[in-house]
Amino acid sequence: MSRQRLLILITVVLFFLGLVGTGGYRRHQRQAQQSSPRQAYPWEKFIRLNGYWNGVGNLVPFKDYVPEQQSNATAPEPERKHDATSGATPPFDPVAFNPYPEYDSYDYLEAHSPMQKCFLDEAETMSPPDIYAYPGVPQNMTAPFFGSYKELGLAEDVCWERFGRFAPYGYGYDHRDGGVGLSDKSERAGSERVYQMMAGGTDWRKVNWGRAQEACTKKNKARFEPQADPKKKRVSRQAYILRTWTGYRYDDHQLLTIRAMINELNIKSGGEYDVHLLVHVKDTSIPIWTDADIYQQTLEENVPEEFWGIATLWSEQLMRLYYPEPFPDNFDNPSQHPVHSVYRSAHFALQWFSQEHPEYDYYWNWEMDLRYTGHYYEFNDKVANWARKQPRKGMWERSARYYIPEKHGSWADFARMVEEETNLSQESPIWGPTVFPNNGMLTSPAENFPPRSYADDKYEWGVGEEADLITFNPLFDPTKTNWVFRNDINGYTLDAAAPPRRVAIITVSRLSKRLLDYMHNETYQMRHSMFPEMWPPSCALHHGLKGVYAPHPVFFDRNWDLDYMDQVFNRPKKVEDSVFGWGEHNQLGSSFYYNSGFSGQLWRRWFGYKENNEGGSMAEVSGSGRMCLRSTLFHPIKFERGPTD
């Protein structure tokens, strides 16, 4: 090597080392700045709750259950049998959980066509499995702060541990037998009873979900068609849509969840639901809409084989063709993303899907980082039933608030309180389609105009009417917050104020075909659109459709003062304090929000993993056994595996 080349090499090396050193120093400075103590949020000063970690060894009948928030901290723990190697033995056995209608009953068959039993395989030798819950609750288990099992009609007297919930889908037995393993180091006292009731596990490698769903629907076709006999009720068809993408990693835990969804929603119900994977192809250069071979190759490279038959691909480029530019008169675009990006218009693909699949009455928009400890059919069915019973009077106003039973009392008490607050406010209640200055709107349906005045209605209008929109966080007015995307609105005239609108954080929801048709036509014909969490609620608001927030149980990691909680979540003093904006830090300790930290901690420890150096198999064995939680909807779960010890 020449001397000149050597000098150049030395200079380059020294320069590189200088960059590395400077970068390391800057990183150290940033870390030093970030590690400086900040002032604690007020909610962080509340006492941590620990009843979540009470396990199956602490089970008591629900009539004897006392929530942690009401318990005497010095009260003795329930007596329990304990094995130093396997853990605390549950005091009673789990039972098969069956939330379905009595399909063989006289009453059901009087009102409906018979339900034909479905199977997992073409030969009809593989029956769909049951799942198992414990008929009780761990003593001093923490109670939810928001929402109510009783109000929604969900079973409040059972709890779920990981074997009863997921062993039927492969948890706890080897891949060689068609399972997923995962339980090698698990505390498992009493779990053998689940396997005895299962009478052998299902070999999930042999299941083709697309074929199984299609066969189940075909077998039960008569239930979903208009009935010639007026005494027979048509059963609604529903699509359950999982929003996934190319490159998504389907962990074994995710396989358990998707299998549970399909089995419980479709196979066991006789085809009432179809589960779909709506797969976002991120590479917009792949012509999935013109080349069948490329479409199939892309699908097979990005989706596990057992789900190939339930997957549908889409891309942003396809949406540009389906909803072509222009989308004029944008009020604000804080993200700076184009309108067709999934970040700003995830609803485009859902609208498109509903036009491609008009056979469904309702569409559940579900995210891949949701998890549920309970039975999917029970949750969906009870939520829909509850929403159907809700009157339209005060509907939007009730749905704008969190329901805190220990603070607000019964749902009837809560409804009266909201009506009183509405009457005392300077704002008119929402009653039918919303009128505002615009540059062209679709005509709202005649049946959505009130049959009488707001004052004359006795909470009658809307009762028995299916909800067009069901959300799982409140439907709030973004003008009363500093939520960053509140003005991301397209297509409405800039010569007037922004249109009235509502938002539900997290796009998870159930939408009717009618609502999706309005969303599609407003987008296609009028070029109207908004940020994804704002568009379905706002479209429902504009056209007088029925939209409700379902008060499902939500837990917190600390023992909040209820008056303070009500003030923070329902009555912020100024827009900057709203929990849907700068005040969203108040949601970090909850089990359900877009940025909750507690949800992941609770879910992973329920699966037996250590979190923040707490929990794990040794803690379960030496304590009250594995966790047993009541039915709980978690979001977000960004990862599921963790150390066992």
Side-chain angles (χ1 to χ4, degrees), residues 395-424:
M395 175 182 71
W396 289 96
E397 291 75 22
R398 290 190 301 276
S399 292
R401 295 164 170 82
Y402 284 102
Y403 173 45
I404 310 173
E406 293 302 316
K407 166 66 179 176
H408 299 140
S410 69
W411 184 258
D413 294 334
F414 177 64
R416 282 192 292 269
M417 180 202 73
V418 172
E419 183 177 11
E420 291 172 4
E421 291 181 350
T422 303
N423 292 337
L424 292 172

Side-chain angles (χ1 to χ4, degrees), residues 408-580:
H408 299 140
S410 69
W411 184 258
D413 294 334
F414 177 64
R416 282 192 292 269
M417 180 202 73
V418 172
E419 183 177 11
E420 291 172 4
E421 291 181 350
T422 303
N423 292 337
L424 292 172
S425 73
Q426 301 299 312
E427 299 178 5
S428 299
I430 296 168
W431 196 233
T434 307
V435 179
F436 59 93
N438 63 79
N439 55 356
M441 295 279 293
L442 296 176
T443 303
S444 299
E447 63 269 22
N448 284 359
F449 287 85
R452 61 189 69 87
S453 72
Y454 189 88
D456 289 339
D457 187 83
K458 305 303 181 185
Y459 289 94
E460 301 163 301
W461 186 37
V463 175
E465 177 190 6
E466 291 285 354
D468 291 288
L469 177 68
I470 303 174
T471 66
F472 301 97
N473 264 322
L475 289 154
F476 67 91
D477 181 350
T479 64
K480 298 178 180 179
T481 75
N482 61 356
W483 182 59
V484 67
F485 302 111
R486 62 191 177 278
N487 292 319
D488 192 346
I489 307 164
N490 293 292
Y492 297 88
T493 178
L494 296 175
D495 295 331
R501 52 212 183 275
R502 292 295 182 271
V503 181
I505 297 297
I506 309 174
T507 57
V508 174
S509 57
R510 191 194 82 162
L511 305 92
S512 70
K513 182 65 165 64
R514 180 170 70 158
L515 172 56
L516 281 163
D517 283 348
Y518 268 94
M519 291 163 58
H520 164 72
N521 287 311
E522 286 281 359
T523 300
Y524 182 72
Q525 297 180 32
M526 305 298 180
R527 294 297 186 267
H528 291 163
S529 187
M530 298 181 189
F531 200 75
E533 287 154 314
M534 190 157 55
W535 180 230
S538 298
C539 200
L541 176 73
H542 294 170
H543 292 290
L545 305 184
K546 186 176 180 180
V548 297
Y549 154 54
H552 64 101
V554 176
F555 297 83
F556 280 75
D557 67 341
R558 286 171 168 79
N559 196 14
W560 283 66
D561 175 83
L562 296 184
D563 289 334
Y564 178 72
M565 174 173 268
D566 187 40
Q567 181 262 308
V568 167
F569 282 89
N570 290 328
R571 297 175 177 80
K573 295 179 180 178
K574 52 185 183 294
V575 295
E576 291 82 4
D577 294 336
S578 170
V579 293
F580 307 114

Side-chain angles (χ1 to χ4, degrees), residues 95-101 103 131-134 148-160 165 169 238 240 260-266 268-269 272-273 364 366 372-389 470 472 510 550 552-553 629-633:
V95 295
F97 188 82
N98 180 12
Y100 300 98
Y103 292 119
I131 62 172
Y132 304 93
Y134 276 100
S148 166
Y149 291 98
K150 186 175 181 180
E151 176 60 29
L152 290 181
L154 295 168
E156 61 180 346
D157 58 352
V158 302
C159 68
W160 304 87
R165 182 67 184 93
Y169 302 114
Q238 307 192 50
Y240 198 76
M261 290 174 178
I262 307 172
N263 184 60
E264 292 158 26
L265 292 173
N266 178 276
K268 299 278 284 185
S269 75
E272 292 180 27
Y273 296 77
W364 296 74
W366 218 245
Y372 189 57
T373 49
H375 195 291
Y376 281 101
Y377 186 91
E378 186 205 26
F379 180 80
N380 287 25
D381 185 59
K382 296 301 185 183
V383 163
N385 289 343
W386 177 87
R388 188 185 308 115
K389 296 174 184 176
I470 303 174
F472 301 97
R510 191 194 82 162
H552 64 101
L629 296 176
R630 290 194 282 175
S631 300
T632 307
L633 188 63

Side-chain angles (χ1 to χ4, degrees), residues 343-364:
Y343 190 75
R344 289 185 67 207
S345 296
H347 51 279
F348 281 3
L350 187 65
Q351 294 170 188
W352 165 77
F353 182 90
S354 73
Q355 301 304 304
E356 294 291 304
H357 292 276
E359 65 268 26
Y360 300 112
D361 302 287
Y362 305 99
Y363 302 76
W364 296 74

Side-chain angles (χ1 to χ4, degrees), residues 181-395:
L182 297 177
S183 68
D184 290 347
K185 297 182 179 179
S186 174
E187 184 279 326
R188 57 194 313 122
S191 64
E192 67 281 353
R193 181 62 184 138
V194 170
Y195 291 106
Q196 290 170 2
M197 290 188 290
M198 285 168 51
T202 301
D203 186 347
W204 294 101
R205 297 170 299 179
K206 298 178 179 179
V207 176
N208 179 327
W209 286 115
R211 189 217 59 79
Q213 284 198 147
E214 185 178 353
C216 193
T217 300
K218 185 177 180 180
K219 204 173 186 182
N220 286 274
K221 185 178 179 181
R223 302 173 66 211
F224 311 123
E225 295 179 336
Q227 301 291 334
D229 184 346
K231 295 181 181 179
K232 301 290 186 181
K233 297 178 182 178
R234 175 183 170 272
V235 175
S236 295
R237 287 277 286 148
Q238 307 192 50
Y240 198 76
I241 302 168
L242 303 178
R243 303 298 299 272
T244 184
W245 56 90
T246 52
Y248 181 82
R249 181 173 176 267
Y250 295 81
D251 184 85
D252 285 336
H253 300 81
Q254 182 72 84
L255 298 184
L256 296 173
T257 292
I258 299 176
R259 290 168 183 170
M261 290 174 178
I262 307 172
N263 184 60
E264 292 158 26
L265 292 173
N266 178 276
I267 308 300
K268 299 278 284 185
S269 75
E272 292 180 27
Y273 296 77
D274 279 342
V275 178
H276 293 267
L277 300 184
L278 189 55
V279 185
H280 173 206
V281 178
K282 291 185 175 182
D283 186 345
T284 58
S285 68
I286 300 176
I288 55 173
W289 60 92
T290 61
D291 192 312
D293 291 337
I294 290 179
Y295 181 103
Q296 190 63 27
Q297 178 184 349
T298 304
L299 187 156
E300 293 181 7
E301 289 176 350
N302 289 279
V303 176
E305 184 174 356
E306 66 182 283
F307 307 129
W308 286 354
I310 66 170
T312 300
L313 308 185
W314 70 279
S315 70
E316 291 176 8
Q317 183 58 34
L318 178 58
M319 294 302 103
R320 291 188 187 98
L321 297 172
Y322 198 72
Y323 296 117
E325 295 276 13
F327 282 84
D329 299 331
N330 176 251
F331 279 77
D332 188 24
N333 180 12
S335 71
Q336 298 301 307
H337 287 278
V339 69
H340 287 94
S341 69
V342 68
Y343 190 75
R344 289 185 67 207
S345 296
H347 51 279
F348 281 3
L350 187 65
Q351 294 170 188
W352 165 77
F353 182 90
S354 73
Q355 301 304 304
E356 294 291 304
H357 292 276
E359 65 268 26
Y360 300 112
D361 302 287
Y362 305 99
Y363 302 76
W364 296 74
N365 192 50
W366 218 245
E367 296 181 0
M368 299 301 286
D369 54 2
L370 281 158
R371 298 292 182 272
Y372 189 57
T373 49
H375 195 291
Y376 281 101
Y377 186 91
E378 186 205 26
F379 180 80
N380 287 25
D381 185 59
K382 296 301 185 183
V383 163
N385 289 343
W386 177 87
R388 188 185 308 115
K389 296 174 184 176
Q390 298 310 300
R392 281 175 170 262
K393 184 171 183 175
M395 175 182 71

Side-chain angles (χ1 to χ4, degrees), residues 370 472-473 506 552 554 587 590-593 596 633-635:
L370 281 158
F472 301 97
N473 264 322
I506 309 174
H552 64 101
V554 176
Q587 306 267 19
S590 79
S591 58
F592 190 86
Y593 196 61
S596 165
L633 188 63
F634 293 98
H635 185 276

